[in-house]
Amino acid sequence: MAVKAGVSGATVSRVFNRPESVSPSTREKVLKAAKDLDYHPNVIATNFIKGISGNIGVIIPRIKNIHMLSVYYFAELLGGIGDALSRRGYNLVLLYHDITAPVMPGNDYTKYFKGNKVDGGILLGTFANEPSLVKLKEEGYRFCLINNYIENSGISYADADNLKGSYKAVKYLINLGHEKIAFLNGPMYYTNSIDRLKGYKRAMEEHGIPFNRELLFEGNYGRKSGYTAARKILSAKSPPSAIFVSNDRMAAGLLQGLLESGVKVPGDISIVGYDDSDVATVVTPQLTTVHVSFYEIGYRCADELVKCIKGEKDYFGISVQPKIVIRKSCSRPR
Amino acid sequence: MAVKAGVSGATVSRVFNRPESVSPSTREKVLKAAKDLDYHPNVIATNFIKGISGNIGVIIPRIKNIHMLSVYYFAELLGGIGDALSRRGYNLVLLYHDITAPVMPGNDYTKYFKGNKVDGGILLGTFANEPSLVKLKEEGYRFCLINNYIENSGISYADADNLKGSYKAVKYLINLGHEKIAFLNGPMYYTNSIDRLKGYKRAMEEHGIPFNRELLFEGNYGRKSGYTAARKILSAKSPPSAIFVSNDRMAAGLLQGLLESGVKVPGDISIVGYDDSDVATVVTPQLTTVHVSFYEIGYRCADELVKCIKGEKDYFGISVQPKIVIRKSCSRPR
DNA sequence: CCTGGTTATGAACACGTGTACATTTTACCT
DNA sequence: AGGTAAAATGTACACGTGTTCATAACCAGG
């Protein structure tokens, strides 16, 4: 290539990296030769010289090949991450992290970073206060969390404001006139679930409604757990007039369970879901739910992570605001 | 590292690549030193030497940041691809290919391959007989298609057997006693849609039911297009007793439309969906639908692609068999 | 103990680029 | 035209590994 263009290798390098540092005439000469030869700088050699891999790893936990993440926001999230990374010249590489049970103390994430495999990592689906995350941070690796955070750990994160989202949803029900509001939450090993419970409690408290332990239920974010919750909820001492559910899939299952029991939704019981996934619009009645832009979370997270890697900053905490989407699953109580 | 172990760099290299070629004593010496120093061979340098990137690109088409793929199988597919690749030491890198309209003649996929960015590509969501694919093949790049194929092109692919899946679904309806069976298909610029129409026709033909152009409808795989199709289908000269729908999302929309018009499902009209996505179980009645293992498609495809890259073969065509999943949306006709 | 052959190791080089430094060319001012 | 500073280009080297070839250590058979 350098010989074809009649210049030194250094000049070729300059044309592609700091074009302004080379005279217009030779610049054109080089570009023409590059076009003729279909020459493109070898990315591997470039990265090798720079001492980087050019890869950002997105680490995804799985149990026996089963995703623990809602697939619905997975695609959107990756889209955001991918756009941010490609704009900054990094590759988005997917790494699947196999675990055997929901809460594993000894997760070793370091293996993905050793030997310059990736320049940084985005960890999805990690658990509340997971010790391996703190360890990873201490070892000096560049990474951040999505959908989780650990206070005072210095670990960067991007998350939806789950407390606020939950708060808004419950407040919406309260404003409709509901007082007996049940909450079907997800597993408490997720920070998400913890925060949503806080939001639920805060909304109730602010309106002078005492927290009733009997109206709190826990599912596993799957449809079936919503379905089976229906029976439990209906057999409570004083059944609720509204139920806030921590994701749409469970809400859909719950809805099926309620309809089977002859309960009218929203006539007898109102439901608010969470996620605004496909499921929300497909169900009858369509679900009032809480929407979060996972594209935004992904994009901003990846963008900030790259800044950290480049040394422009060394910490970020992003909190994206959810919005309530009103559809057909709520009404005033009788 | 080499000095710490008291050996030459060449020996270190051998320990990690052909351990049997080095004496047990020095091997242990090297491994111990590696452990002490937390040494891991630099992947970038290794790839640089080998002249490879170690990356396989999964190329995903989008229109204005909107995925054209069903998100439901996206995660499963990537899981399969990721497992196969990591087992073989390759990275799965996601590449988003922005296009402006559904059918673009001039898609340039070559840019993802230039300069050793990736060693091979897996293209998703491409269109039937897309000329740019043939061009890509002619230029000698290693790649394959998922959910598409081009006959006699020599282009490798992995796909579900859509003709067979569609055939089974329609045959199931016929066996229940249906004769007036409508088909709500997806856009015909997808090979998938073309094949499903063939399967529909074949099943009808085999049972002596003439193909009726008036019972063929086309949507865009979105829920709304199913919803609006309900009215059209009901206003046909002789409305069908069953409808085969080319994906679950449209089927769910259709279901909503039918219920709103007072049609009972499956009493008045039976529905069969396609995909076996989340949507199928969330809807009432739950959808009888066609299931495909996208994990398998992804895994086998990636595995074969790596073989091609390593020169072990130079073509493959994988066809995965769909299965019908019977739920609650079908009954015998009146 | 020597010889021939086998096995284990080291020395030197190559891969394709970016960068620091040296050198040459250009531009401008007097 | 001469001189000096600035801009443009070239030279030489480094990055960390795998590989080839040469050398050294070892081993078995006589």
Side-chain angles (χ1 to χ4, degrees), chain A residues 307-323:
Chain A
K307 284 184 194 164
C308 290
I309 289 168
K310 293 195 171 172
E312 296 170 20
K313 54 164 60 179
D314 53 58
Y315 173 80
F316 64 89
I318 293 170
S319 187
V320 172
Q321 285 305 314
K323 282 179 194 151

Side-chain angles (χ1 to χ4, degrees), chain A residues 48-318:
Chain A
F48 170 54
I49 267 296
K50 290 184 180 167
I52 65 174
S53 70
N55 293 333
I56 302 292
V58 173
I59 300 174
I60 303 160
R62 291 192 308 182
I63 298 186
K64 296 176 198 151
N65 292 343
I66 307 293
H67 289 263
M68 301 192 59
L69 307 166
S70 258
V71 296
Y72 102 86
Y73 69 71
F74 184 64
E76 217 192 322
L77 188 63
L78 290 181
I81 295 173
D83 281 355
L85 292 184
S86 79
R87 182 167 312 210
R88 288 179 167 276
Y90 279 86
N91 289 325
L92 156 46
V93 352
L94 248 45
L95 301 170
Y96 288 95
H97 181 74
D98 285 314
I99 58 185
T100 52
V103 186
M104 278 275 292
N107 276 325
D108 177 23
Y109 298 112
T110 63
K111 61 182 169 187
Y112 303 112
F113 294 83
K114 299 275 175 70
N116 272 29
K117 282 198 71 157
V118 300
D119 302 327
I122 297 177
L123 276 65
L124 307 181
T126 52
F127 304 112
N129 287 99
E130 208 180 317
S132 39
L133 298 175
V134 178
K135 190 182 145 216
L136 194 64
K137 174 75 182 176
E138 281 165 0
E139 298 197 19
Y141 295 108
R142 304 275 187 194
F143 73 100
C144 63
L145 310 178
I146 279 185
N147 273 7
N148 189 14
Y149 60 91
I150 300 180
E151 256 155 340
N152 302 323
S153 65
I155 297 174
S156 296
Y157 70 91
D159 197 4
D161 187 339
N162 284 288
L163 195 156
K164 206 66 165 295
S166 167
Y167 173 86
K168 283 182 187 173
V170 176
K171 183 161 180 178
Y172 171 73
L173 287 168
I174 293 173
N175 286 344
L176 278 176
H178 294 278
E179 295 208 338
K180 286 197 285 189
I181 302 171
F183 181 26
L184 174 52
N185 200 2
M188 293 303 280
Y189 43 70
Y190 288 125
T191 309
N192 276 4
S193 306
I194 296 171
D195 285 349
R196 288 178 197 174
L197 179 57
K198 284 184 190 160
Y200 168 82
K201 283 182 171 170
R202 178 176 299 177
M204 299 291 267
E205 193 178 301
E206 271 188 17
H207 293 80
I209 308 171
F211 173 65
N212 180 356
R213 185 77 187 68
E214 296 210 332
L215 290 180
L216 180 61
F217 301 86
E218 184 173 322
N220 68 359
Y221 284 136
R223 184 192 64 87
K224 279 186 186 168
S225 71
Y227 180 79
T228 57
R231 188 169 303 144
K232 294 180 205 158
I233 293 176
L234 290 177
S235 63
K237 278 175 200 162
S238 69
S241 66
I243 309 171
F244 171 47
V245 188
S246 209
N247 82 339
D248 291 339
R249 291 236 300 277
M250 284 199 297
L254 174 67
L255 180 62
Q256 289 176 320
L258 294 178
L259 295 177
E260 275 185 21
S261 299
V263 175
K264 300 257 183 294
V265 177
D268 301 325
I269 293 185
S270 295
I271 294 181
V272 175
Y274 210 107
D275 281 350
D276 193 23
S277 65
D278 264 11
V279 163
T281 53
V282 137
V283 128
T284 307
Q286 297 195 352
L287 291 174
T288 290
T289 187
V290 178
H291 176 89
V292 174
S293 170
F294 274 92
Y295 181 90
E296 182 182 351
I297 292 182
Y299 189 97
R300 290 179 57 190
C301 177
D303 204 56
E304 297 291 303
L305 180 62
V306 171
K307 284 184 194 164
C308 290
I309 289 168
K310 293 195 171 172
E312 296 170 20
K313 54 164 60 179
D314 53 58
Y315 173 80
F316 64 89
I318 293 170

